[in-house]
Amino acid sequence: MRHAPLLLVTVALYAGPLNAQVVRGQVVDSITNGPLQGSTVLLLNEELTEFDRANTDSTGWFLLYAPSAGRYRLRTERPGYRVSTYPPFDLAAEDVRSYRLLLAPAPMSADSIIALVCPHEMPLEARVIVGIVRDTLDHPVDRAQVLISTPAGVPESLSEWVHLENATDTVTTDADGLYAICGVPTRTRVTLTGRRGSEASRISTLMFLQGGVTDGATFRQKDSRLWMQHLRLLPSGKRTSSVHGLVTDSTGTPISNVEVRAWGTDKVIRTEADGRFTLNDLAPGSHVLQTRLIGYRPGDHHIELGDSDTTVVTTVVIDPLPVRLSDIVIEVEAPYGNRYMKGFAERQRYSATGRFLTMDSYQRRHGEPVHVTEMIHTLRGIRAGRFPHFARCGERPPAYYFDGMFVGGGWDFRINDIISTQWIVAIEAYSGAIPNDHPVAYHYVRGTCGVILIYSRR
């Protein structure tokens, strides 16, 4: 419903010259009630003919003169605000009218919002998420953390454009609870969770597709590159839910040994002989249950979990592959004999923060490398310059480890002078600290940012 602009009026005596009709008042923001300097106020008759105009001062005040008694109306104009024409009023001879004019901000277009929160150019296919984090009383939350997760870690485009703290996996709200994420890729599942201390919001799962956005299990048509996703923090101690499920085929026959994973979490289990499974301690919100079993199509199944102590019972149906399986190739971790590579294949498969490269995969794509930096530059999130560096680190160099031993890092360090590509079997890199359970004993090196681990076949 559209409302006419609000006009508050009082009638006052005026001690000015005889036969003078005066209209005066103040222009304020309709949301903040703050005075609006530089607003233009016009005095019009009912045919919208202009008789006088004035610009407001630093306190939002204006003063207009009418040539005679009659019926008039006011119009206000200011960049960034709606042009507002107010209801007519009668002005008697020698009257003085005082008005407080409320001016509403003009709605911003999606392109204007994107230009405001993402000041740098982005690929045309990239998307932007903006929103407000609020507490249980609906108050905006300052300095709340918004955690971002994707299937393979935060993609390079996202890590380059995340704003407010330029972090690769979190953004921080401003004083109004606002956050912005620029450069979100399409056809990639993204989860968002707001946090402040022990409080957390429901999980929001999004995927940008052609012509719209998948929000949880619901597809919403949307042509704009901008998506609004507000997050509300839940009280601490009310953030766990459980899922009890049954996996069957299309005939209703239970299937055992199916891997069921709550995407974006460390919760994974296999179904029992009767096809049943249970996942506990899941945060409320939109989740994707991924099912995997040789001979069956991989599946993604959306569920919604309540805000507290919720138990969801669901049945997941998976379909067999319509063709006979070809020869099965089993990938196992190569027996390199290098104890610092323990768990490399597992981390390569499931790590959300690491970058991984083997010599075999590099040779298949690029041929024989001449320098170590040629291999490093192919890793996601690595930038070229005076030396390879992570996108989130600016010009700070990484620290290098070779077979678990720190070999250097700094402005003058040149890895190509230390290590030959003939020795290398694999490379592992992290833009921050390496995981705590990693076999390499990592120590922060002053002046560096990120870690590059190089392994030999020993």
Side-chain angles (χ1 to χ4, degrees):
M1 179 183 295
R2 259 188 103 169
H3 297 280
L6 182 59
L7 179 149
L8 307 179
V9 58
T10 59
V11 180
L13 296 176
Y14 178 60
L18 294 176
N19 301 321
Q21 295 72 227
V22 174
V23 181
R24 62 187 181 184
Q26 185 185 32
V27 179
V28 299
D29 188 295
S30 64
I31 298 176
T32 66
N33 285 320
L36 293 177
Q37 182 180 7
S39 303
T40 300
V41 185
L42 292 81
L43 181 66
L44 312 173
N45 64 10
E46 287 196 282
E47 288 73 35
L48 303 183
T49 301
E50 179 182 334
F51 285 97
D52 197 9
R53 68 167 54 202
N55 291 327
T56 57
D57 61 16
S58 60
T59 63
W61 284 92
F62 65 89
L63 181 66
L64 298 168
Y65 295 96
S68 62
R71 194 167 180 79
Y72 295 93
R73 63 196 313 165
L74 296 174
R75 173 184 292 172
T76 55
E77 301 173 357
R78 191 177 191 275
Y81 288 78
R82 296 178 185 270
V83 175
S84 297
T85 302
Y86 299 89
F89 59 91
D90 293 318
L91 186 64
E94 302 184 22
D95 263 1
V96 175
R97 293 265 178 151
S98 296
Y99 292 97
R100 189 168 185 263
L101 306 179
L102 305 183
L103 199 56
M108 295 181 66
S109 67
D111 289 340
S112 299
I113 295 175
I114 291 174
L116 179 65
V117 301
C118 306
H120 305 288
E121 292 185 6
M122 294 185 306
L124 290 177
E125 67 275 9
R127 300 294 187 264
V128 176
I129 302 175
V130 298
I132 300 175
V133 178
R134 299 181 182 275
D135 60 19
T136 55
L137 299 178
D138 207 35
H139 298 149
V141 179
D142 181 19
R143 306 295 296 175
Q145 300 291 312
V146 179
L147 281 66
I148 310 158
S149 179
T150 66
V154 176
E156 180 179 327
S157 60
L158 186 62
S159 65
E160 184 174 354
W161 295 110
V162 163
H163 281 279
L164 301 181
E165 284 201 340
N166 294 322
T168 58
D169 57 357
T170 63
V171 292
T172 304
T173 59
D174 64 11
D176 297 316
L178 291 166
Y179 72 92
I181 304 170
C182 304
V184 181
T186 57
R187 306 197 68 83
T188 299
R189 187 180 296 120
V190 177
T191 62
L192 303 177
T193 309
R195 292 187 182 277
R196 180 182 63 176
S198 61
E199 298 174 295
S201 72
R202 293 168 55 88
I203 294 176
S204 296
T205 303
L206 307 172
M207 181 183 291
F208 292 89
L209 302 171
Q210 185 68 31
V213 181
T214 298
D215 182 4
T218 304
F219 179 77
R220 306 183 188 279
Q221 289 187 337
K222 190 173 183 65
D223 295 328
S224 171
R225 299 168 62 197
L226 182 70
W227 178 258
M228 305 288 289
Q229 188 68 42
H230 302 308
L231 304 172
R232 187 180 301 277
L233 299 179
L234 304 174
S236 58
K238 295 186 177 181
R239 296 192 292 111
T240 60
S241 298
S242 299
V243 178
H244 298 292
L246 172 66
V247 178
T248 72
D249 62 16
S250 57
T251 67
T253 302
I255 304 176
S256 64
N257 205 37
V258 179
E259 181 184 277
V260 182
R261 178 184 298 272
W263 181 83
T265 75
D266 59 355
K267 308 299 182 183
V268 59
I269 198 169
R270 289 190 177 273
T271 56
E272 302 292 341
D274 59 358
R276 299 189 181 278
F277 67 90
T278 298
L279 292 171
N280 295 315
D281 299 327
L282 292 174
S286 176
H287 285 270
V288 176
L289 298 184
Q290 296 181 319
T291 54
R292 302 290 186 270
L293 181 64
I294 294 176
Y296 288 82
R297 294 184 184 277
D300 288 352
H301 312 272
H302 292 269
I303 58 171
E304 289 288 334
L305 299 183
D307 294 345
S308 62
D309 301 327
T310 299
T311 299
V312 173
V313 179
T314 185
T315 299
V316 176
V317 178
I318 60 177
D319 299 318
L321 291 172
V323 296
R324 184 181 65 86
L325 288 175
S326 59
D327 295 339
I328 297 176
V329 177
I330 300 176
E331 294 185 1
V332 298
E333 191 168 343
Y336 298 126
N338 189 331
R339 65 186 179 91
Y340 295 107
M341 285 191 68
K342 182 179 179 182
F344 179 88
E346 187 75 7
R347 293 192 298 275
Q348 185 178 21
R349 186 174 296 109
Y350 296 116
S351 174
T353 57
R355 289 85 160 162
F356 302 87
L357 176 68
T358 64
M359 177 60 79
D360 290 342
S361 64
Y362 181 90
Q363 290 171 333
R364 286 196 300 269
R365 297 177 184 176
H366 308 287
E368 291 292 336
V370 178
H371 300 295
V372 180
T373 51
E374 294 177 18
M375 300 181 66
I376 294 174
H377 281 146
T378 65
L379 294 171
R380 174 174 53 84
I382 293 290
R383 294 286 183 268
R386 292 176 53 193
F387 41 74
H389 58 278
F390 291 95
R392 66 172 290 269
C393 295
E395 290 294 325
R396 287 184 294 167
Y400 290 91
Y401 285 74
F402 183 64
D403 285 344
M405 181 179 68
F406 173 71
V407 293
W411 298 101
D412 300 324
F413 179 73
R414 297 293 180 266
I415 189 64
N416 293 332
D417 299 335
I418 304 297
I419 297 175
S420 169
T421 57
Q422 297 178 358
W423 307 341
I424 297 176
V425 68
I427 297 177
E428 185 174 355
Y430 296 89
S431 59
I434 64 178
N436 292 332
D437 59 351
H438 199 284
V440 174
Y442 164 74
H443 301 283
Y444 170 72
V445 180
R446 184 178 180 85
T448 64
C449 181
V451 186
I452 295 179
L453 309 170
I454 302 174
Y455 305 109
S456 69
R457 189 188 298 271
R458 67 172 188 173

